């Protein structure tokens, strides 16, 4: 691991347009299970049912069963050393932006300022009928009653991207531009199986970027587009990288 971290530090020192794509793996050390590892959320909830916009339209109460569970997991979570290391890289001027698939707000809470919420953010709610927006903190979600719009009474939807929904236009276009301009992409804690997010490092690679992957196990990227694979928990490997960069 340390030899690859030294190589990664050399590449990062020379970078001018480094970005990071993060996934649920960077938050597991904050106590939030990821989706596809053993014990992940998709073992408990079939995403084709619980995370589909179709189900939300026909049976929002069913989807809220999973959302209450996720909110319970994220409400007590705090940023871990992995999130803080990425915030430090931004403060050092080395990391230009984070494109995160996560909806847990932990990058922002760790101090990262340029965060693109590719799949939205679970701390916000929206009314699909009248478009009004709300903060989830304004509702007693611990009572497990799906929150309703104050204007039209409809059950509110978390401002996250469900399967069958489009990525928010601004997130999509900003991410595409960043991917085209990137000279390094740090891919952290993602299984790289969900598109279009997983296409971001591929676009960057096609434009000559170096791909540095941080994961506890290999992914589809590891043997294809990854240039440097740093195996281990992101909460441990990213701080070691920071130490190398500080040398
Ligand atoms: N450090 C580094 N990597 C980790 C850690 C850790 N501590 N813990 C888990 N991982 C890795 C796993 O090995 C896996 O490759 O993180 C990855 C998590 O993959 P997924 O559970 O598939 O999560 P993610 O890639 O974010 O999923 C993408 O799928 O279901 C949708 O919308 C959901 O945004 C999510 C998208």
């Amino acid at each position: 691991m340390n030899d690859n971290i030294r190589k990664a530090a050399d590449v990062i020192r020379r970078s001018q347009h480094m970005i990071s794509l993060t996934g649920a793996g960077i938050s597991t050390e904050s106590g939030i299970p990821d989706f596809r590892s053993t014990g992940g959320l998709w073992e408990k909830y079939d995403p084709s049912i619980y995370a589909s916009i179709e189900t939300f339209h026909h049976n929002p109460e069913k989807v809220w069963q999973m959302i209450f569970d996720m909110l319970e997991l994220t409400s007590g979570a705090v940023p871990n050393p992995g999130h803080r290391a990425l915030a430090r890289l931004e403060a050092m001027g080395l990391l230009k932006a984070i494109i995160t698939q996560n909806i847990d707000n932990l990058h922002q809470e760790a101090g990262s300022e340029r965060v693109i919420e590719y799949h939205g953010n679970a701390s916000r709610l929206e009314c699909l009928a009248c478009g009004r927006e709300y903060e989830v903190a304004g509702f007693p979600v611990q009572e497990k009653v799906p929150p309703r719009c104050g204007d039209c009474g409809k059950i509110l939807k978390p401002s996250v991207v469900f399967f069958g929904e489009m990525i928010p236009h601004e997130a999509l276009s900003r991410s595409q531009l960043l991917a085209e301009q990137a000279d390094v992409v740090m891919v952290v804690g993602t299984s790289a199986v969900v598109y279009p997010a997983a296409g971001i490092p591929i676009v960057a690679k096609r434009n000559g970027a170096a791909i540095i992957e941080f994961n506890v196990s290999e992914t589809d990227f590891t043997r294809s587009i990854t240039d440097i694979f740093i195996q281990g928990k992101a909460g441990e490997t990213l701080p070691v990288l920071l130490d190398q960069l500080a040398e």
Side-chain angles (χ1 to χ4, degrees):
M1 171 178 82
N2 283 329
D3 192 37
N4 278 353
I5 289 187
R6 260 190 297 280
K7 280 185 205 157
D10 290 343
V11 168
I12 290 170
R13 271 191 210 93
R14 295 194 302 272
S15 71
Q16 299 293 315
H17 298 283
M18 179 166 78
I19 62 172
S20 178
L21 172 71
T22 66
I26 199 171
S27 295
T28 54
E29 292 161 84
S30 295
I32 305 174
D34 63 16
F35 294 97
R36 294 174 181 82
S37 297
T38 309
L41 270 167
W42 293 159
E43 255 180 30
K44 187 174 178 187
Y45 296 105
D46 177 345
S48 65
I49 299 170
Y50 286 92
S52 126
I53 190 61
E54 280 313 301
T55 308
F56 189 85
H57 285 313
H58 299 120
N59 185 353
E61 292 84 354
K62 188 172 186 69
V63 174
W64 267 99
Q65 285 170 21
M66 174 191 71
I67 298 166
F68 287 131
D69 214 0
M70 289 177 87
L71 288 173
E72 217 163 300
L73 288 166
T74 53
S75 62
V78 294
N80 66 55
H83 296 106
R84 289 199 296 273
L86 292 184
R88 182 90 193 87
L89 280 171
E90 181 187 68
M92 292 161 71
L94 287 169
L95 181 60
K96 302 307 175 193
I98 294 173
I99 301 166
T100 189
Q101 300 171 87
N102 300 341
I103 58 174
D104 56 29
N105 209 50
L106 290 181
H107 285 303
Q108 295 89 327
E109 290 171 29
S112 292
E113 292 178 4
R114 287 188 299 279
V115 179
I116 296 177
E117 298 172 331
Y118 207 73
H119 290 161
N121 189 312
S123 65
R124 299 191 297 270
L125 301 171
E126 61 200 37
C127 177
L128 296 181
C130 67
R132 242 190 92 175
E133 293 182 344
Y134 297 84
E135 290 296 320
V136 78
F139 293 90
V141 287
Q142 65 282 2
E143 292 167 12
K144 305 241 193 276
V145 174
R148 290 182 179 271
C149 176
D151 285 353
C152 71
K154 280 271 187 196
I155 288 181
L156 299 173
K157 173 182 167 292
S159 298
V160 300
V161 179
F162 282 66
F163 286 110
E165 282 193 295
M166 300 291 284
I167 303 297
H169 176 70
E170 193 203 346
L172 199 64
S173 52
R174 281 179 68 199
S175 301
Q176 180 68 19
L177 193 60
L178 284 164
E180 287 164 0
Q181 293 169 338
D183 54 7
V184 179
V185 183
M186 293 172 70
V187 181
V188 186
T190 183
S191 59
V193 296
V194 172
Y195 287 77
I200 290 163
I202 294 169
V203 167
K205 179 77 177 186
R206 204 178 294 138
N207 287 287
I211 307 300
I212 305 172
E213 187 179 14
F214 297 78
N215 203 311
V216 290
S217 55
E218 295 193 354
T219 69
D220 292 351
F221 282 172
T222 315
R223 297 231 173 275
S224 56
I225 65 168
T226 293
D227 296 294
I228 303 173
F229 179 59
I230 295 169
Q231 184 152 19
K233 292 183 172 182
E236 295 167 7
T237 55
L238 287 171
V240 172
L241 172 71
L242 261 288
D243 293 343
Q244 285 286 334
L245 286 165
E247 278 183 7

